[in-house]
Amino acid sequence: MANTLFDFGMIGLGVMGRNLLLNMADHGFSVIGFDKDGSKNEALEKSASAGTTVKGVQELSQMVSQLKSPRNIMMLVPAGKPVDDVIESLLPLLEKGDVIIDGGNSHYTDTLRRVKYLRDQDIHFMGIGVSGGEQGARTGPSMMPGGEKGAYENVRPMLEAIAAKVDGKPCVSYLGKEGAGHYVKMVHNGIEYAIMQLISESYSLLKHGGLDNDQLHEVFKTWNEGSLQSFLVEITASIFLQEDEVTGGRLVDFISDKAGSKGTGKWTSQDAMELPVAVPVIDTAVAMRTLSGYKDERVQAAGIYPDPYKTFPASTQEWIHQVHDALYFSTILSYAQGLAMLHQASGELGMEIPLPEVVSVWRGGCIIRSSLLEVFTHAYTETPELSNILLNEEVAGIVKSLVGNTRKVVAQAALSGIPAGGLMSALAYFDGFRSEKMPTNLIQAQRDFFGAHTYQRTDTPGTFHTEWGQH
């Protein structure tokens, strides 16, 4: 193997980096990885399947010198300064036309900066969002590449080989210019935040309705066999059966309700406000994770503000059906908001993001994969430039069939004092989106009253200001 020239190099041999390399090796590519930790290099080589060409090294120059030209090198290191440090270490070792790939969760603005910096030195830089976790990396992830089209074509055969497949089509595609890959992954993660929040609220509503863990397992298992089929609903069904080794009870009941966050949901909310585009379910999901961290204050407040009287439908099956519809409705709204953000960003930021390809890539391998994406694929096949998925006739038919039960669930949650901000935000967005006239004419009047911000009229074109109070 000493004289072998390798097809692909990886910097960072944690579980994700190792599994992606092993996946490539299983598909016939020769791969080499670099990590300063010798034990990780050993783990890479020991995990390799028989007959594959896999090597781990502790010297960066050794890895680079053994790669075929043009070199294809991926980094899987923490976002931020570590990525810049690796780039600076690589530059003296590279030649014109080589490709550097950032496969981590970098913010797209950093990717834009790096693309320009390396382009000036004739090095291609790509940001690729990778979704599917450790298992997905090993057996087939969803990948979201962005950057220069020529650089993508150079690595396309390898990426297509290792990606998850749906109906024989790889869950990877060129998703746009500059920082588009990391932008799409950021929005993917925002949608993930939203759906996880919605599922947790549905769990809470069902639990308050009297269901135990065994019943919750059966409900989510059944839901995953129907229109709500998705990776997140599937794993939720499994969670309710997991036993706690310490107590012998169900583990979910002993997990703290303080949720963690790595920041990508927050980025989605922040960047949506900059565009601007409304993503209130994602915003609420981020806010509720933050609120979950106020544990001591929440315990104190619970003693001050007693629960309202809780009453649920007499029929448990009726309540389960209503919560199903509310979750389905709100999940559609979460995707709608994220996809609308991508549509807006594609034009505003000049990334040329192809939405038909985005929903196709998300169909397999990724955390937000679901049967709904097949419906969205049909919608974008009919209208590739669709600004909001809610304007599609097929999607509208589904939404209209669900909204009645969603209203009942949201009302019940409000009357019972059960926090269901995601479901409520989804319904509020829907009602705002479908309103031909909103009460924001009063806001414009207020803005002009106190700040002379002007307003437009419904009957005459132009911009106007009034000296208010003279009546």
Side-chain angles (χ1 to χ4, degrees):
M1 194 180 291
N3 298 319
T4 300
L5 283 179
F6 294 86
D7 297 312
F8 196 89
M10 178 71 70
I11 297 172
L13 296 178
V15 178
M16 284 290 291
R18 179 172 75 241
N19 282 356
L20 281 173
L21 277 191
L22 294 173
N23 191 349
M24 286 187 179
D26 286 347
H27 285 86
F29 298 99
S30 57
V31 298
I32 184 169
F34 158 77
D35 202 293
K36 291 180 180 179
D37 184 343
S39 65
K40 291 182 179 178
N41 296 314
E42 291 176 14
L44 171 69
E45 294 183 359
K46 286 180 180 178
S47 301
S49 303
T52 60
T53 306
V54 178
K55 184 176 181 180
V57 298
Q58 284 183 265
E59 294 292 333
L60 188 60
S61 59
Q62 186 181 358
M63 185 195 79
V64 174
S65 66
Q66 294 186 58
L67 285 167
K68 295 175 183 176
S69 186
R71 301 174 180 89
N72 300 306
I73 302 171
M74 176 181 277
M75 300 177 284
L76 271 171
V77 299
K81 188 175 182 296
V83 176
D84 292 316
D85 291 344
V86 170
I87 290 172
E88 292 306 316
S89 299
L90 275 172
L91 277 177
L93 307 173
L94 299 182
E95 298 174 351
K96 291 181 179 180
D98 288 346
V99 179
I100 302 176
I101 299 168
D102 178 7
N105 272 335
S106 291
H107 193 244
Y108 82 97
T109 53
D110 288 332
T111 305
L112 291 173
R113 171 175 55 80
R114 292 165 184 148
V115 165
K116 184 179 185 304
Y117 172 62
L118 290 167
R119 182 185 291 137
D120 293 342
Q121 303 185 56
D122 295 317
I123 303 294
H124 302 295
F125 186 79
M126 298 179 64
I128 298 185
V130 181
S131 180
E134 298 170 6
Q135 185 62 28
R138 187 67 184 86
T139 60
S142 169
M143 290 178 286
M144 296 153 252
E148 295 181 31
K149 186 71 178 291
Y152 171 70
E153 288 300 324
N154 198 52
V155 295
R156 181 173 59 82
M158 286 175 276
L159 299 183
E160 289 185 346
I162 68 171
K165 309 293 189 301
V166 175
D167 298 329
K169 183 177 180 180
C171 292
V172 61
S173 185
Y174 178 69
L175 296 185
K177 299 161 59 176
E178 308 293 342
H182 279 143
Y183 198 96
V184 172
K185 180 56 166 34
M186 176 186 73
V187 174
H188 164 287
N189 286 13
I191 296 170
E192 178 185 306
Y193 268 60
I195 297 173
M196 290 171 72
Q197 176 65 28
L198 295 168
I199 290 174
S200 75
E201 292 175 5
S202 300
Y203 150 67
S204 175
L205 290 164
L206 292 173
K207 191 171 183 181
H208 278 99
L211 275 68
D212 61 25
N213 286 320
D214 286 332
Q215 292 169 314
L216 287 165
H217 164 73
E218 288 299 327
V219 166
F220 278 87
K221 180 175 179 290
T222 301
W223 285 359
N224 191 55
E225 294 165 354
S227 55
L228 276 172
Q229 187 280 319
S230 67
F231 173 74
L232 287 170
V233 170
E234 177 186 347
I235 67 170
T236 300
S238 261
I239 285 169
F240 294 118
L241 293 184
Q242 185 69 42
E243 290 188 3
D244 176 31
E245 295 179 356
V246 178
T247 65
R250 296 296 168 84
L251 179 58
V252 68
D253 295 329
F254 295 92
I255 296 176
S256 168
D257 62 347
K258 294 168 67 173
S261 170
K262 289 190 174 180
T264 48
K266 179 181 70 175
W267 289 348
T268 311
S269 286
Q270 290 172 333
D271 285 296
M273 291 179 186
E274 291 294 328
L275 276 173
V277 64
V279 292
V281 185
I282 297 171
D283 296 338
T284 299
V286 174
M288 295 304 281
R289 286 202 194 187
T290 302
L291 184 59
S292 77
Y294 304 161
K295 180 65 174 181
D296 292 342
E297 291 159 276
R298 289 192 287 115
V299 170
Q300 186 179 355
I304 300 171
Y305 303 104
D307 282 339
Y309 175 70
K310 292 183 175 66
T311 176
F312 288 87
S315 167
T316 301
Q317 288 306 312
E318 179 186 4
W319 180 237
I320 291 171
H321 177 62
Q322 289 174 355
V323 175
H324 167 280
D325 284 2
L327 176 58
Y328 192 21
F329 171 91
S330 303
T331 299
I332 293 172
L333 269 290
S334 300
Y335 281 112
Q337 291 169 23
L339 291 168
M341 182 174 175
L342 290 178
H343 173 81
Q344 184 85 351
S346 179
E348 292 286 332
L349 303 177
M351 291 184 181
E352 299 178 12
I353 299 170
L355 290 183
E357 293 299 321
V358 170
V359 295
S360 179
V361 164
W362 287 349
R363 289 187 305 157
C366 76
I367 302 301
I368 63 170
R369 62 185 183 266
S370 78
S371 58
L372 259 175
L373 290 161
E374 297 295 339
V375 178
F376 298 159
T377 297
H378 297 156
Y380 284 114
T381 300
E382 292 177 5
T383 315
E385 296 302 318
L386 189 62
S387 62
N388 193 304
I389 202 76
L390 296 176
L391 299 175
N392 173 263
E393 186 176 348
E394 183 181 1
V395 174
I398 297 171
V399 168
K400 286 188 282 189
S401 73
L402 303 169
V403 69
N405 277 341
T406 302
R407 295 191 191 283
K408 292 175 184 176
V409 170
V410 166
Q412 182 66 63
L415 290 169
S416 300
I418 300 170
L423 297 169
M424 293 174 178
S425 294
L427 184 58
Y429 174 91
F430 172 74
D431 282 334
F433 187 76
R434 68 171 189 83
S435 294
E436 184 177 348
K437 184 172 176 60
M438 294 176 68
T440 39
N441 56 315
L442 180 59
I443 292 174
Q444 285 302 92
Q446 292 168 332
R447 294 178 72 240
D448 192 56
F449 191 115
F450 66 70
H453 292 296
T454 73
Y455 57 87
Q456 295 175 327
R457 296 181 60 92
T458 59
D459 54 356
T460 306
T463 300
F464 301 89
H465 167 63
T466 292
E467 293 298 326
W468 295 89
Q470 299 180 5
H471 50 71

